[in-house]
């Protein structure tokens, strides 16, 4: 699964409502009995890459970088942007934005956070030869080039506390994006050796690494509160230990014994019992999380007209209602589109969405039409990470395909999330594979552009359709939110025909917390607001 979000905020921030002088609040104060030096422990997964914001695009690394770095804005519990390092973000035309940084901000090595801290980090992240996974987030800034090295000419330093950003076209939601990891600042020392820096990153957020070597690979990372952080996410505890569990069952067992304080994933083996086990400490709330599996077009039988027919057949062969009720105990909702029902602009009546309805007879007929083009051979497999509690639904989907299409189908587990993601990123994987999206910021575009736009950094299946790209571009340049959302809905009609991924369901965040912690809230992105948690 990729990165963050449960978005209740609107898609776009109109120019009149651009963040100007917002104070950023949101952190709760600790109770008098709380121990503000106590360390909060939580579950996580081994990051795929060194902890560089522009190269972190998965949940394991994102949970860490979002706590050790502070960007221009952050998102509060409901997904509304609040100024963090930014003092103001203003525009008169949604094309050129003036960004003023709060004075006296600094990294944990004492270096001042200035305009250069952002400009240099963004320039590095956008440069083609640096192959950063989040480079596409800078695509709307003048000078960006996805095929060769080119500096972002749209970034201009005014002074140490002020810089401007010029986009290639009006983008009314640009300020809304700025809380995402890709836009975090970096200290100058990072550019001496970024790989080494990523092992022991120096940030400016509410937490910092407890010491050099605090990241123990495949075990945990230890963070402590940053006393110099002044933003709205000031830690109400002494630190955060993120434990990298091999399975969701292990994390849940630790929660039940108070060996971990908060978890944001309940294993499917506990869905029937966890609300009884935990009582009012159980969490089941909506989240902007979309689940799917991707079938790369490079696989045999999955390109052209044959591929479209097979994808539609597979989609109609899946009984999403039964799987979400039986496997997930109501903690998932069958998908009706490619985004999330908690995002402004969501619709369950997009043209072509009938392909998501269970229809075994039609599925068989579509598969037969594909066989008439080229007879099917082989096994259909879905790769997944075994440390994430996915076997139950993968096996159920595989059984649907066996029974309704008459083919051999199965899951293909990899031991860890990092391993399967590396195979996907390297394009060495030769099967379909589990995918999903946890929104980076609360807007429809974020569920579409990063995953399906031609050449996008999270386009794991290498999907490309010029008509889809054109509608995305049209929606992005709209200054009216309703008009933009209509463009994005039209773009999804194309996705329903091509099915670069097979939509499955929307996830709730299911989690829980132990008896020794309080003030536990899960945010718009399904991640606990760790900085608010108190203990003692």
């Amino acid at each position: 699964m990729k990165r963050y979000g449960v978005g209740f905020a609107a898609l776009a921030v109109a120019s009149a409502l651009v963040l100007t002088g917002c104070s950023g609040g949101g952190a709760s104060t600790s109770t008098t009995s709380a121990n503000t030096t106590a360390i909060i422990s939580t579950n996580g997964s081994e990051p795929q890459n060194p902890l560089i914001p522009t190269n972190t695009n998965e949940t394991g690394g994102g949970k860490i970088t979002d706590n050790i770095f502070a960007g221009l804005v952050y998102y509060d519990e409901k997904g509304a942007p609040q100024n963090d390092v930014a003092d103001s973000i203003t525009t008169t035309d949604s094309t050129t934005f003036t960004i003023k940084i709060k004075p006296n901000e600094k990294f944990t090595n004492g270096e001042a956070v200035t305009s250069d801290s952002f400009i240099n980090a963004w320039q590095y992240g956008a440069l083609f030869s640096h192959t950063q996974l989040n480079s596409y987030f800078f695509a709307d800034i003048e000078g960006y080039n996805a095929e060769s090295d080119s500096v972002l000419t749209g970034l201009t330093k005014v002074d140490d506390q002020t810089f401007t950003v010029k986009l290639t076209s009006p983008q009314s939601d640009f300020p809304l994006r700025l809380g995402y990891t890709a836009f975090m600042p970096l200290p100058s020392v990072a550019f001496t050796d970024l790989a080494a820096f990523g092992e022991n990153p120096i940030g400016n957020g509410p937490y910092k690494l407890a010491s050099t070597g605090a990241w123990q690979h495949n075990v945990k990372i230890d963070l402590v509160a940053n006393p110099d952080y002044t933003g709205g996410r000031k830690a109400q505890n002494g630190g955060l230990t993120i434990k990298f569990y091999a399975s969701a069952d292990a994390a849940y067992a630790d929660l039940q014994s108070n060996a971990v304080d908060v978890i944001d994933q309940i294993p499917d083996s506990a869905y029937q019992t966890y609300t009884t086990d935990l009582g009012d400490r159980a969490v089941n709330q909506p989240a902007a999380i979309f689940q799917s599996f991707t079938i790369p077009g490079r696989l045999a039988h999955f390109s052209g007209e044959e591929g479209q027919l097979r994808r539609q057949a597979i989609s109609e062969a899946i009984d999403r209602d039964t799987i979400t009720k039986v496997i997930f105990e109501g903690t998932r909702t069958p998908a009706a589109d490619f985004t999330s029902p908690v995002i402004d602009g969501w619709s369950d009546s997009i043209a072509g969405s009938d392909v998501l309805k269970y229809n075994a007879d039609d599925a068989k007929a579509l598969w037969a039409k594909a066989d008439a083009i080229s007879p099917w051979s082989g096994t259909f497999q879905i790769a997944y990470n075994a440390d994430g509690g996915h076997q139950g639904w993968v096996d159920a989907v595989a059984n649907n395909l066996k029974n309704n299409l008459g083919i051999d189908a199965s899951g293909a587990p990899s031991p860890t999330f990092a391993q399967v993601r590396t195979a996907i990123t390297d394009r060495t994987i030769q099967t379909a594979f589990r995918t999903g999206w946890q929104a980076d910021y609360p807007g429809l575009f974020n569920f579409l552009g990063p995953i399906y736009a031609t050449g996008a950094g999270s386009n794991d299946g290498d999907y490309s359709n010029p008509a889809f790209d054109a509608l995305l571009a049209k929606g992005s340049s709209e200054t009216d939110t309703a008009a933009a959302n209509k463009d994005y809905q039209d773009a999804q009609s194309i996705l329903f025909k091509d099915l670069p991924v097979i939509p499955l369901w929307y996830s709730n965040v299911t989690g829980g917390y132990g008896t020794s912690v309080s003030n536990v809230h899960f945010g718009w992105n399904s991640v606990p607001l760790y900085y608010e948690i108190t203990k003692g």
Side-chain angles (χ1 to χ4, degrees), residues 201-270:
I202 296 166
N204 63 319
Y207 295 96
K208 62 180 181 178
L209 268 66
S211 62
T212 301
W215 179 6
Q216 299 178 45
H217 287 278
N218 299 301
V219 179
K220 65 175 181 174
I221 188 168
D222 292 316
L223 309 179
V224 295
N226 175 11
D228 296 323
Y229 173 74
T230 61
R233 297 183 293 151
K234 190 73 173 177
Q236 303 301 307
N237 49 65
L240 178 64
T241 292
I242 302 174
K243 301 180 179 181
F244 307 145
Y245 284 95
S247 71
D249 290 279
Y252 185 63
D254 273 2
L255 179 68
Q256 290 180 293
S257 63
N258 276 321
V260 67
D261 294 315
V262 184
I263 64 173
D264 57 11
Q265 183 181 16
I266 298 295
D268 53 9
S269 60

Side-chain angles (χ1 to χ4, degrees), residues 188-369:
S188 58
V189 67
F191 302 102
T192 302
D193 185 342
L194 260 177
F197 176 86
E199 294 294 320
N200 292 281
I202 296 166
N204 63 319
Y207 295 96
K208 62 180 181 178
L209 268 66
S211 62
T212 301
W215 179 6
Q216 299 178 45
H217 287 278
N218 299 301
V219 179
K220 65 175 181 174
I221 188 168
D222 292 316
L223 309 179
V224 295
N226 175 11
D228 296 323
Y229 173 74
T230 61
R233 297 183 293 151
K234 190 73 173 177
Q236 303 301 307
N237 49 65
L240 178 64
T241 292
I242 302 174
K243 301 180 179 181
F244 307 145
Y245 284 95
S247 71
D249 290 279
Y252 185 63
D254 273 2
L255 179 68
Q256 290 180 293
S257 63
N258 276 321
V260 67
D261 294 315
V262 184
I263 64 173
D264 57 11
Q265 183 181 16
I266 298 295
D268 53 9
S269 60
Y271 281 149
Q272 290 185 330
T273 61
Y274 86 102
T275 55
T276 301
D277 294 342
L278 302 178
D280 60 7
R281 294 181 290 110
V283 175
N284 181 16
Q285 69 185 50
I289 303 175
F290 168 82
Q291 297 279 8
S292 60
F293 62 86
T294 296
I295 308 174
R298 66 178 180 271
L299 299 185
H301 301 290
F302 283 102
S303 61
E305 181 185 1
E306 179 195 355
Q308 281 190 345
L309 290 167
R310 294 202 187 281
R311 292 165 190 273
Q312 292 167 14
I314 287 170
S315 182
E316 292 187 19
I318 299 171
D319 186 354
R320 295 167 178 80
D321 285 333
T322 298
I323 292 174
T324 54
K325 289 174 184 175
V326 175
I327 301 293
F328 291 114
E329 296 288 332
T331 62
R332 306 288 189 274
T333 303
D337 80 329
F338 291 82
T339 68
S340 166
V342 298
I343 298 292
D344 180 65
W346 175 83
S347 172
D348 62 356
S349 56
I350 296 172
S353 61
D354 284 351
V355 75
L356 300 183
K357 296 178 180 178
Y358 180 51
N359 189 332
D361 290 339
D362 196 46
K364 290 176 183 177
L366 289 165
W367 196 259
K369 287 182 180 179

Side-chain angles (χ1 to χ4, degrees), residues 19-22 72 83-89 99-103:
L19 307 178
T20 306
C22 296
L72 294 167
N83 280 353
D84 206 341
V85 176
D87 187 52
S88 65
I89 304 170
I99 298 172
K100 292 185 178 293
I101 298 170
K102 293 175 182 175

Side-chain angles (χ1 to χ4, degrees), residues 5-10 78-79 287-288 340-344 439 441-443 447 524-525:
V6 176
F8 294 89
K78 299 300 183 184
S340 166
V342 298
I343 298 292
D344 180 65
Y441 61 90
F447 283 86
W524 70 282
N525 56 3

Side-chain angles (χ1 to χ4, degrees), residues 348-409:
D348 62 356
S349 56
I350 296 172
S353 61
D354 284 351
V355 75
L356 300 183
K357 296 178 180 178
Y358 180 51
N359 189 332
D361 290 339
D362 196 46
K364 290 176 183 177
L366 289 165
W367 196 259
K369 287 182 180 179
D371 279 343
I373 297 173
S374 176
W376 172 259
S377 60
T379 298
F380 185 83
Q381 290 190 300
I382 303 173
Y384 65 95
N385 53 305
D387 60 351
H390 300 289
Q391 182 178 350
W393 74 259
V394 172
D395 287 349
V397 168
N399 283 333
N400 279 169
L401 301 184
K402 287 179 186 178
N403 295 334
N404 296 323
L405 301 180
I407 64 173
D408 187 14

Side-chain angles (χ1 to χ4, degrees), residues 28 52 122 165 183 282 311 316 344 370 378 394 471:
S28 63
I52 306 300
W122 296 8
V165 184
F183 296 102
R311 292 165 190 273
E316 292 187 19
D344 180 65
V394 172
L471 281 168

Side-chain angles (χ1 to χ4, degrees), residues 11-16 18 89-97 136-142 165-178 183 441 445-446 449 469-481 484 487-488:
L11 159 74
V13 182
S15 58
V18 168
I89 304 170
T90 57
T91 185
T92 58
D93 59 5
S94 293
T95 299
T96 299
F97 295 82
Y136 62 93
F137 272 91
F138 306 104
D140 292 319
I141 300 176
E142 278 195 351
V165 184
K166 187 176 182 182
L167 307 182
T168 56
S169 63
Q171 305 285 329
S172 57
D173 74 337
F174 182 72
L176 187 60
R177 308 175 196 176
L178 295 177
F183 296 102
Y441 61 90
F445 178 88
N446 185 241
D469 292 342
L471 281 168
L472 278 190
K474 185 173 182 290
S476 294
S477 63
E478 303 276 15
T479 56
D480 177 72
T481 299
D487 293 333
Y488 297 142

